[in-house]
Amino acid sequence: SQGTVYVLNADSHTYSDILWAHRPDGHIDRLVLDKFGIDDPMGLCVSNSDQRVYVGSGYMDPTSPEQTEVYGFGTEDLGLQRRVTIRGMGSVTGMVVHPRSGMLWVIGVRIGERPLLPGVMDPVFYQGYMAVMRPGEEEVEAIPLTGTEGTAGSDLALPTSELTVDELDLQL
């Protein structure tokens, strides 16, 4: 709303995962995300309701493949203000915030056991998930988008973006 443009830089080879804030006065702020453990940043969204820029990680940590985190940085100084753990989701693919309620909707995937050579007709080894975070929550549980682990592989198995929630009035 103030004219700042936020851009993510992701580079797995040089460890230069960066959040850029291009201010209307021409000033550019740079935040190195590697120092927070945010590899392969994904799902950038800005919340005017709590004045934060939210970033998730598209990297699935092999030491913790069934959880990921979303980080909220202040729009003014890019200081870390919020960190939410999502149980059940391995990595983030997209997110959006509801402008009135401040609820953050996150989609992502969890990777199961990968076959050595997956066949075209074999069930997929990943499952799509969604998580909804209310303001102030520090930990949430992801819910599967299609079926269960045993029935994964149809329609929304690999979600990559979210709809605008501007017109939604959902009660959770």
Side-chain angles (χ1 to χ4, degrees), residues 29-157:
D29 292 323
R30 177 180 182 268
L31 178 66
V32 177
L33 298 172
D34 299 312
K35 67 182 179 182
F36 298 98
I38 305 172
D39 297 318
D40 189 19
M42 297 282 274
L44 173 72
C45 78
V46 179
S47 171
N48 289 325
S49 65
D50 64 1
Q51 300 298 301
R52 291 187 182 133
V53 180
Y54 286 98
V55 177
S57 176
Y59 173 75
M60 187 185 73
D61 183 353
T63 64
S64 179
E66 293 187 7
Q67 83 172 30
T68 190
E69 293 179 325
V70 170
Y71 301 81
F73 299 97
T75 56
E76 290 300 315
D77 63 358
L78 297 182
L80 181 62
Q81 295 181 351
R82 185 176 183 199
R83 187 174 178 165
V84 182
T85 299
I86 305 174
R87 293 184 318 272
M89 183 185 296
S91 63
V92 172
T93 58
M95 68 177 90
V96 66
V97 66
H98 190 284
R100 289 183 301 279
S101 69
M103 289 179 33
L104 188 63
W105 296 69
V106 179
I107 56 172
V109 294
R110 184 170 74 201
I111 307 294
E113 188 174 324
R114 295 181 197 191
L116 183 59
L117 294 171
V120 175
M121 301 306 289
D122 294 343
V124 295
F125 52 88
Y126 48 85
Q127 171 76 26
Y129 284 85
M130 177 178 73
V132 181
M133 298 171 218
R134 292 172 178 83
E137 285 185 312
E138 295 179 7
E139 192 169 323
V140 296
E141 187 73 34
I143 57 172
L145 289 174
T146 56
T148 64
E149 291 295 327
T151 61
S154 61
D155 296 331
L156 295 174

Side-chain angles (χ1 to χ4, degrees), residues 17-36:
D17 296 319
I18 299 168
L19 173 62
W20 301 90
H22 295 263
R23 308 291 180 183
D25 64 2
H27 183 75
I28 300 173
D29 292 323
R30 177 180 182 268
L31 178 66
V32 177
L33 298 172
D34 299 312
K35 67 182 179 182
F36 298 98

